[in-house]
Amino acid sequence: MPKPRMMFYHDGRHQLIYAYEPPMPKEEYESPVDELAGTSIDALMFCLGDGRTVLHDTKVGELWGHNVDKWPNLGFRRTKQIAKQLIDEGNDPLRVICERAHAMGMLIYPTLLVQQGRLTAGGEEGRTSNFRLENAHLEIGARGDLDPSFSGITCSDYKHQEVQDERFALIEETLTNYDVDGFELQLLRAPAWFHYFHPDETEAGRPIMTEWVRRVYEAVKKSGPERELAIRIPADVDLCLSRGVDPQEWIRQGIVDVIIGETLAGGAKIDPVLDLRPLVKAAEGSDCRIHAAIQSHLGSDRLGEAPIAMIRAIASNYYAQGVDGLYLAFWIYNWPYKASFYEKLRELPNPEVMAPKDKYYHIPTAAPGFPDPAMSSEFSVPLPADLNLGEPVKLDLTISDDLPRWDRVGRVHELLLRMRVTQTTGVDRISVKLNERELPEDRMRKINRQAFWTAPYYVVVDSVWHVYRLDTDFWPVMGPNSLEVTLTERDPEVAHIQVRLRDVELEVKYLKGKNWYRGFVDADLGEYDQGPGVVEE
């Protein structure tokens, strides 16, 4: 069996069963496969349901909504209606997906959301299971000695054999009854639920979880020696160990085929500074492959989904760390898919194709989509940062562009460094150093956003963008770069108001070829040439 390099996660709900009315024809349920046919995607990672309940014809698990008499959510009622309708007419939803994937030449890996909080009877739109409702004594907080605000308090405690067996039964049933190419354990459903043992028992829990992973791995191989076990976890190895999850030991014992590393933020939020190197190093000399989970949602004041230039930048940084492939993690906001979505899929498998193309790097900043620090204290972002008079704010910015190489052949168009500073006035002065060299103020222009009251996702008023056009002498280097921002003078009339560095972006723009134009801005062609490319900018 070929080893997939490009994996695409589909949660089986948002772009599918949530979006349709019952009765749902089989052909519509095949759309997750059909929408990816002919693209670079090798394997569809298809979620079995909510985790507590599933959406296929299970005999050992529980069907979504089977225990709900009065629905609190009409959308999730339709979900139950469609799943049951398809099962009753002989079109088991999971079997439909498996058969369609293979008919279209795509590998299929069912995905189990391994850990989720219990929720309440009929609560959270009726998605929880009787097993969770009737077995609160098997939860991490069952001893009653944890703060009620602890996010994992109703998560299942994997020291209990009953918990392990309930999960394993679903996995074994899937491997036995469906024509699959592998199986995925998604251990990070949400930051708040990345807990597997009582906080006092995580060290003792590691061998327990490792043994359970071995049990799953052996079941996968027994069902078919070419089938693979893929496991999705936070890329932070120390964080994993602190929760009783030991990926290095799994690699050492050879009980995992693919590890997918992602940011603790999970979900759809992109993370351009994700460090995958510890996982890559752990897998050296082994048969385990490391994939990078790449999200697509930005949710800034200007953009919802990350544009292709930003996706290129993130993917290029991940490839530079030595990963074996990419895992497109939660691209639901791209649906219904348009040409821009397929353009990303065309380029993403090929770092050499992306190398001389526009990229848009940024440093993560707190915004909707990142976890609430109260629920996930381990996850933090570098920005925003307070700018106090005379106190430098130091940041790291990694890029993967070999600028001297592409400059020698005339391909680099320009580099723009942008920073948004909030609660600042025209009297304030800010010094910016890139790799310890101060950027000249005469290469900077300001964009006033102090009265900008509307934005797609969040609004930060009283802010000013500082935009530097970087000359060759001030270009960043390939790899890590240091950025230092210092407030050197503060308007005395507003000195009591905190100045903050809110956003940092680096945009690298390329030409298609030496002396090529960039749209109508450079090409004064008028009526003589209205062909493709003249309206790019």
Side-chain angles (χ1 to χ4, degrees):
M1 184 183 81
K3 306 302 182 185
R5 190 159 182 260
M6 293 289 294
M7 296 173 162
F8 188 95
Y9 172 67
H10 193 298
D11 78 348
R13 294 177 280 136
H14 287 83
Q15 312 107 295
L16 184 59
I17 203 166
Y18 287 175
Y20 292 86
E21 292 283 345
M24 185 178 183
K26 173 187 175 184
E27 291 77 13
E28 288 178 357
Y29 205 86
E30 293 173 336
S31 62
V33 177
D34 294 351
E35 290 168 336
L36 298 175
T39 70
S40 62
I41 299 302
D42 303 308
L44 177 64
M45 322 298 281
F46 190 79
C47 189
L48 295 178
D50 173 70
R52 290 158 291 231
T53 53
V54 298
L55 293 167
H56 62 275
D57 190 14
T58 181
K59 300 299 186 293
V60 302
E62 298 180 48
L63 184 67
W64 174 299
H66 75 98
N67 51 4
V68 180
D69 295 321
K70 293 183 179 181
W71 285 89
N73 182 294
L74 294 181
F76 293 123
R77 176 177 178 266
R78 292 197 305 272
T79 299
K80 160 67 181 309
Q81 289 176 299
I82 291 173
K84 190 172 187 307
Q85 164 233 316
L86 288 167
I87 292 170
D88 288 347
E89 67 187 23
N91 289 317
D92 180 340
L94 181 56
R95 196 172 310 282
V96 168
I97 291 295
C98 291
E99 291 177 353
R100 188 61 175 172
H102 289 151
M104 301 301 289
M106 193 178 300
L107 303 175
I108 178 74
Y109 290 57
T111 298
L112 177 65
L113 307 181
V114 177
Q115 181 71 291
Q116 291 180 281
R118 169 177 20 100
L119 305 180
T120 57
E124 187 65 10
E125 303 85 24
R127 293 185 287 174
T128 199
S129 64
N130 285 342
F131 178 83
R132 296 307 317 279
L133 294 173
E134 297 167 359
N135 290 284
H137 64 286
L138 301 178
E139 294 174 351
I140 290 174
R143 292 192 335 214
D145 60 344
L146 294 175
D147 189 311
S149 65
F150 175 65
S151 60
I153 200 164
T154 67
C155 288
S156 298
D157 192 329
Y158 273 69
K159 73 179 180 182
H160 298 296
Q161 192 66 44
E162 299 98 314
V163 170
Q164 300 175 36
D165 290 347
E166 187 270 342
R167 301 280 80 184
F168 181 79
L170 269 174
I171 298 166
E172 187 175 47
E173 178 187 56
T174 305
L175 294 169
T176 301
N177 294 346
Y178 297 90
D179 185 12
V180 301
D181 300 290
F183 198 93
E184 179 193 0
L185 301 176
Q186 189 174 129
L187 298 189
L188 177 56
R189 165 64 177 85
W193 290 333
F194 187 60
H195 299 275
Y196 287 88
F197 301 94
H198 189 285
D200 295 338
E201 299 175 347
T202 55
E203 185 173 355
R206 289 177 207 159
I208 296 173
M209 180 59 79
T210 295
E211 189 55 36
W212 184 76
V213 168
R214 172 181 290 282
R215 184 182 179 192
V216 174
Y217 177 81
E218 290 175 350
V220 170
K221 297 303 181 181
K222 180 180 178 181
S223 68
E226 293 300 311
R227 290 178 170 182
E228 294 194 314
L229 176 62
I231 304 181
R232 183 172 160 188
I233 57 171
D236 186 336
V237 173
D238 290 335
L239 172 65
C240 288
L241 292 173
S242 74
R243 302 296 173 84
V245 172
D246 192 346
Q248 294 166 313
E249 183 64 16
W250 306 340
I251 294 171
R252 190 188 69 79
Q253 294 189 23
I255 56 174
V256 60
D257 297 295
V258 185
I259 289 182
I260 301 118
E262 68 171 322
T263 175
L264 180 64
K269 191 71 177 181
I270 59 175
D271 185 358
V273 298
L274 181 65
D275 186 4
L276 295 143
R277 289 168 296 183
L279 286 176
V280 171
K281 181 174 178 58
E284 287 178 358
S286 75
D287 293 329
C288 179
R289 307 191 307 281
I290 304 298
H291 282 223
I294 181 168
Q295 286 83 9
S296 72
H297 193 64
L298 179 64
S300 76
D301 65 324
R302 305 189 304 287
L303 294 168
E305 287 305 283
I308 190 169
M310 187 172 287
I311 294 295
R312 286 187 195 121
I314 295 168
S316 297
N317 275 352
Y318 291 174
Y319 278 127
Q321 296 180 53
V323 299
D324 298 291
L326 299 179
Y327 177 110
L328 309 193
F330 200 60
W331 286 42
I332 63 169
Y333 300 110
N334 287 267
W335 192 83
Y337 305 134
K338 300 178 178 65
S340 58
F341 168 81
Y342 292 105
E343 184 181 10
K344 294 170 187 174
L345 296 193
R346 185 184 69 82
E347 292 189 13
L348 276 173
N350 306 297
E352 66 278 6
V353 170
M354 295 186 289
K357 292 192 174 183
D358 292 3
K359 297 185 191 68
Y360 189 139
Y361 297 93
H362 73 286
I363 295 176
T365 189
F370 278 122
D372 183 339
M375 297 185 69
S376 181
S377 59
E378 297 85 355
F379 184 83
S380 62
V381 289
L383 297 175
D386 291 345
L387 286 176
N388 298 313
L389 190 64
E391 298 179 7
V393 169
K394 297 182 179 181
L395 300 164
D396 295 323
L397 180 64
T398 298
I399 75 168
S400 301
D401 294 68
D402 188 346
L403 295 171
R405 173 192 174 188
W406 298 113
D407 188 47
R408 285 193 294 271
V409 293
R411 295 288 298 275
V412 181
H413 178 55
E414 66 176 351
L415 273 71
L416 299 176
L417 177 66
R418 303 188 190 93
M419 301 182 306
R420 181 160 61 156
V421 182
T422 66
Q423 305 291 0
T424 183
T425 76
V427 175
D428 297 335
R429 291 290 178 268
I430 293 175
S431 166
V432 179
K433 293 182 179 180
L434 181 59
N435 294 328
E436 301 184 353
R437 299 195 63 192
E438 186 167 358
L439 302 183
E441 280 200 17
D442 62 4
R443 300 299 292 166
M444 183 265 289
R445 67 179 290 253
K446 294 182 179 181
I447 301 176
N448 187 318
R449 302 267 286 190
Q450 291 176 337
F452 193 82
W453 298 101
T454 60
Y457 295 91
Y458 63 83
V459 180
V460 179
V461 296
D462 291 323
S463 63
V464 175
W465 280 95
H466 296 66
V467 184
Y468 290 86
R469 192 179 300 272
L470 301 180
D471 294 330
T472 308
D473 291 342
F474 293 93
W475 278 359
V477 299
M478 186 177 183
N481 294 269
S482 63
L483 186 68
E484 185 177 297
V485 182
T486 308
L487 179 66
T488 60
E489 185 175 341
R490 179 57 167 154
D491 189 333
E493 295 186 4
V494 293
H496 60 287
I497 301 176
Q498 181 65 60
V499 182
R500 306 192 89 190
L501 179 61
R502 182 66 178 73
D503 298 276
V504 173
E505 305 170 351
L506 176 72
E507 188 169 4
V508 184
K509 298 182 180 181
Y510 287 94
L511 300 175
K512 187 176 180 63
K514 185 177 181 180
N515 298 327
W516 203 263
Y517 56 83
R518 281 186 63 94
F520 67 82
V521 173
D522 291 336
D524 186 17
L525 303 177
E527 61 180 315
Y528 299 105
D529 186 350
Q530 297 296 325
V534 299
V535 291
E536 175 191 326
E537 295 184 344

